[in-house]
Amino acid sequence: EAEEKKGPALVVQKLFLESLAPNVTACLKDESEKPREISVGLCRMVLPFLDLEKSKNGGLVFKSFIKPIHHQIGTHPTLEPSEEVRLAMLELTIDMLEYAPRYAVDNLDDLMAISTNSCKDAFPKVKVKVGVLIERIASLVLLRLTDLPASSITQLAGQLAKALASNLKHQRFRVRAAALRGISAVVEAWGCVEQWF
């Protein structure tokens, strides 16, 4: 049964990586909303089959996903006008960290920009979802950045904590709860709280 499932997965992987990836990821920045929405959905759909952790081009594929997401939602002002597409892009980013965690450090600048900018988003569902993204970044990056100086890790942790802290007075309790969970994950991963605020 495992072999039967492997066949279609290999076909999806080969087709996407060899033929579709550049065009689909380009559509993440399309001028029309519908292609952006569909391309995010397609990327999320194929991601589990791509086996980026083992693929020789896994890092390039990860970067080809994260760069257009950064372009759309990681800059201020945010270029992506659709709330639902911004939310879907955050979900894709979280999925990428689940399926290809080893590329988090290599793409840290993009992940930080996406996270800190999304904390300022007006859409409450984005504010909730970015808490989940920051929890993932804290567990993957802050705990594993042993080759960076402690001051750099403290700075990264502080940026994430400060960005989340802006949501602690939000009128919706789910936003406040997500911010608290994110801050807790950052504190657990790197606890130099006195240097952050």
Side-chain angles (χ1 to χ4, degrees), residues 7-21:
L10 290 175
V11 170
V12 169
Q13 184 180 40
K14 185 175 172 74
L15 177 66
F16 189 82
L17 293 177
E18 293 179 9
S19 306
L20 299 175

Side-chain angles (χ1 to χ4, degrees), residues 25 103 174:
T25 56
Y103 301 114
R174 284 184 177 87

